[in-house]
Each structure stands twice: as C-alpha cells, then as structure tokens.
Amino acid sequence: MSTKITTIRDTFKTLVAAALGSSYTQVPNPYSPELNNQIMLAQGWGIAVGPAQKVDLELCEMGYERNFNVILVRLNTAPIHDIVTKEAIELALLEDFQTIRKSVERDNNTLSGNAIKTDYIADSGIEFLQDIESQQKFFSINITFSVLYQESIA
C-alpha cells in the first residue's frame, strides 16, 4: 500500500516526464547529477526529495510540507569561445524549466488532486557542471517546489 508521499512523488515524476517528452532521460542520481553517466546527462532530469516539516492546517488538522527538487541537465557542446551556441543551450534549459513550472500550474497546483497545493519556490539559476574524467561540460538548473499535503494516520 502506498502512502500519500509516494503517490505525490510518483505523480510528480509522471508530470515532469510528460512535460519534457522523450528527448530527456531520467538520471539515476538526481542528488549529484555530475556523477551520472554522460549519455544520460546530454538531456537529463531527475527528482530529488527534499526536507519536510509538519504544518498546522486548521483546527485539529495536521499536514506536511515537503520540498521536491527537479534537476534539469543539458550537455554543453559549445567550444570555449562560441557564445551563440552556449547561450542557445542556456535558453533551451530555461524553456524546459518554464515547461515544467507551467505543467504544475496547469494541474491546478495539486498534483492530480494528491496535494493541497504545489508551489514553485525557487531555482538555482543555471549552473556549470564538469565531468572530471571525460572533461565534458554541462549546464544544469535545480528547481524547488513545495508540496503541501495531508497524510492519513490510519
């Protein structure tokens, strides 16, 4: 039997995968994206489960608020002085970020009715990653969503 939190995570995973389509690959390690296989990082995504806290919802009702981090990674194929290609990759990453944010909002911020609300909180901005062994370079963005939900104690 799955609990609300696992249902929410699975719904989030389905929503992100559908929003990005088949051009993206889910990475096995969203907590340290640079440790994933380079093929997966060419256009990779993952969901990392963040911290949570107990929240008073109303009189005699308790809820939980948990952060989920969606990581997006794109291979940087630009030569060192090729600003046009580098900026095109960065802009594509930003568009993918907007696609995910809008998908959550189109879902009425409830993750198919499993959450009370889901809010975009912040993002890391575009970050630079490099695989030490292969010397391949990547751009990434880490998007934080806060999910408020109620879990049955039964």
Side-chain angles (χ1 to χ4, degrees):
M1 176 180 177
S2 72
T3 62
K4 181 71 71 118
I5 191 60
T6 57
T7 301
I8 286 171
R9 189 206 169 276
D10 289 345
T11 302
F12 222 132
K13 178 181 165 183
T14 301
L15 188 142
V16 170
L20 294 173
S22 61
S23 65
Y24 266 83
T25 303
Q26 184 178 3
V27 298
N29 184 354
Y31 301 95
S32 297
E34 66 280 1
L35 298 179
N36 289 284
N37 182 299
Q38 296 137 13
I39 293 169
M40 292 181 158
L41 288 178
Q43 278 190 241
W45 68 273
I47 296 177
V49 179
Q53 64 184 1
K54 228 171 167 183
V55 177
D56 288 327
L57 295 175
E58 293 179 14
L59 187 62
C60 299
E61 285 192 30
M62 291 300 291
Y64 303 92
E65 186 173 21
R66 178 171 296 280
N67 288 346
F68 286 86
N69 297 313
V70 177
I71 182 84
L72 299 177
V73 180
R74 279 185 175 253
L75 178 64
N76 176 4
T77 57
I80 194 163
H81 297 293
D82 185 350
I83 296 169
V84 173
T85 302
K86 182 179 96 37
E87 287 179 345
I89 297 166
E90 290 175 342
L91 291 175
L93 196 58
L94 288 174
E95 288 299 321
D96 295 338
F97 153 71
Q98 285 292 75
T99 298
I100 291 171
R101 188 188 56 76
K102 288 178 181 179
S103 291
V104 170
E105 290 173 355
R106 270 190 229 108
D107 186 54
N108 294 321
N109 292 35
T110 65
L111 297 175
S112 300
N114 292 301
I116 297 168
K117 73 175 184 171
T118 304
D119 292 323
Y120 160 74
I121 299 298
D123 64 72
S124 63
I126 295 177
E127 299 177 315
F128 179 80
L129 302 175
Q130 183 170 357
D131 182 343
I132 305 280
E133 289 179 24
S134 71
Q135 296 299 306
Q136 285 192 300
K137 299 170 179 126
F138 304 91
F139 291 119
S140 72
I141 189 167
N142 192 335
I143 311 156
T144 302
F145 290 92
S146 172
V147 179
L148 180 63
Y149 65 99
Q150 219 173 345
E151 182 86 65
S152 171
I153 59 171

